Amino acid sequence: MSGFDLWWWVILPYAAMVVFVVGHVWRWRYDQFGWTSRSTQLQERRLLKWGAPLFHYSTFAAIAGHVIGILIPRSFTEWLGIPERAYTLFSGIAGSVAAIGVLIGAGILIFRRMGVPRVRATTSAVDYLALVLLGIISLLGIYLTLGVQEFGDGYDYRTTVSVWFRSLFAGSPDYQAIGDAPVMYQVHATAAWMIFAVWPFSRLVHAWSYPLWYLWRPYVVYRDRRAGPPSEPGTGGRRWRRIGVRY
């Protein structure tokens, strides 16, 4: 194993995972008031109305697709009776739709961040870095899905990238597997680890803030209350009340 392989495919992923976990713990302990999406809805609403839902829903779909394609081994889908061609076709179409949605949504949000002065004033350098990394990941995802899988020669990443990724969590990194993958797959994986390292220090931390307490909180009862005259005389209109005098 060369020094490059050791650093890029073993040390970097583990370092990103450590920064991801320790960074979240540090952020929660010392910056709870900053643990927020820092919403800029009051500064601009029209672009946010279209960009935010498209970006978030497409991201959820992309994450689900990566879980199926990366974490679940090929032997398991074959055991379920799913043909490899059907899996490839479904992952190609669904992955392309999700990647295009992420790219368009991120593009709208980036344009909003840079084009609206009031929104730009609330954006940090780390937030820009996170958006750029997300854009790189989305562009590479579209290229690998459409340019390689659908309209190219095709590549079975489940025998290389997936094996390497699962081996990291097994404690025995198979660096040779990712080393045999095409360069664009390697760049895609590297950008993914970089976004994991940046995550705790950006506004992406709001992804873990689920309002689960809404499921068991008591109902809020709203009652109509009409204005009426005060019950105590001498306190309405322009009358003066002498302090200490009983009515």
Side-chain angles (χ1 to χ4, degrees):
M1 176 170 51
S2 64
F4 176 83
D5 293 331
L6 176 62
W7 161 252
W8 215 251
W9 308 125
V10 179
I11 297 178
L12 178 62
Y14 283 123
M17 285 189 280
V18 171
V19 172
F20 182 81
V21 175
V22 176
H24 276 91
V25 174
W26 174 86
R27 184 79 180 270
W28 178 255
R29 293 192 61 183
Y30 298 100
D31 189 29
Q32 288 193 24
F33 288 105
W35 190 288
T36 173
S37 63
R38 296 196 295 275
S39 175
T40 55
Q41 184 177 1
L42 295 178
Q43 282 76 25
E44 198 281 331
R45 296 185 179 184
R46 186 176 59 180
L47 293 175
L48 182 66
K49 179 181 67 174
W50 295 102
L54 180 60
F55 172 77
H56 285 87
Y57 289 129
S58 300
T59 301
F60 294 151
I63 293 174
H66 281 73
V67 170
I68 298 175
I70 302 296
L71 293 180
I72 298 178
R74 180 176 180 177
S75 59
F76 183 78
T77 55
E78 292 179 349
W79 177 77
L80 293 177
I82 301 176
E84 187 62 23
R85 178 55 186 168
Y87 167 82
T88 304
L89 181 62
F90 174 77
S91 62
I93 297 175
S96 300
V97 172
I100 293 174
V102 171
L103 183 63
I104 296 176
I108 295 175
L109 295 179
I110 292 175
F111 174 78
R112 178 176 177 269
R113 291 279 168 192
M114 300 180 65
V116 181
R118 291 179 295 179
V119 180
R120 184 172 62 247
T122 63
T123 307
S124 64
V126 180
D127 296 326
Y128 281 120
L129 178 59
L131 287 173
V132 170
L133 289 174
L134 288 172
I136 294 174
I137 294 173
S138 301
L139 285 174
L140 288 176
I142 294 174
Y143 167 75
L144 296 175
T145 303
L146 294 179
V148 176
Q149 298 291 339
E150 295 301 320
F151 302 105
D153 296 332
Y155 179 73
D156 190 4
Y157 62 89
R158 305 182 78 185
T159 60
T160 55
V161 181
S162 300
V163 173
W164 164 74
F165 188 80
R166 292 195 301 270
S167 68
L168 292 173
F169 296 94
S172 57
D174 189 356
Y175 63 93
Q176 293 181 348
I178 186 66
D180 296 334
V183 176
M184 287 303 174
Y185 282 91
Q186 297 177 354
V187 176
H188 186 67
T190 302
W193 287 120
M194 291 180 66
I195 195 66
F196 274 104
V198 172
W199 193 305
F201 311 104
S202 66
R203 66 182 65 211
L204 293 176
V205 294
H206 78 279
W208 314 113
S209 300
Y210 295 99
L212 296 179
W213 62 275
Y214 267 79
L215 299 176
W216 55 79
R217 72 174 178 86
Y219 293 103
V220 179
V221 180
Y222 293 93
R223 294 185 175 91
D224 184 19
R225 183 176 181 181
R226 298 180 180 179
S231 59
E232 183 180 0
T235 58
R238 296 179 178 271
R239 297 182 181 180
W240 291 86
R241 175 181 175 182
R242 190 173 180 180
I243 300 177
V245 177
R246 298 182 63 183
Y247 287 88

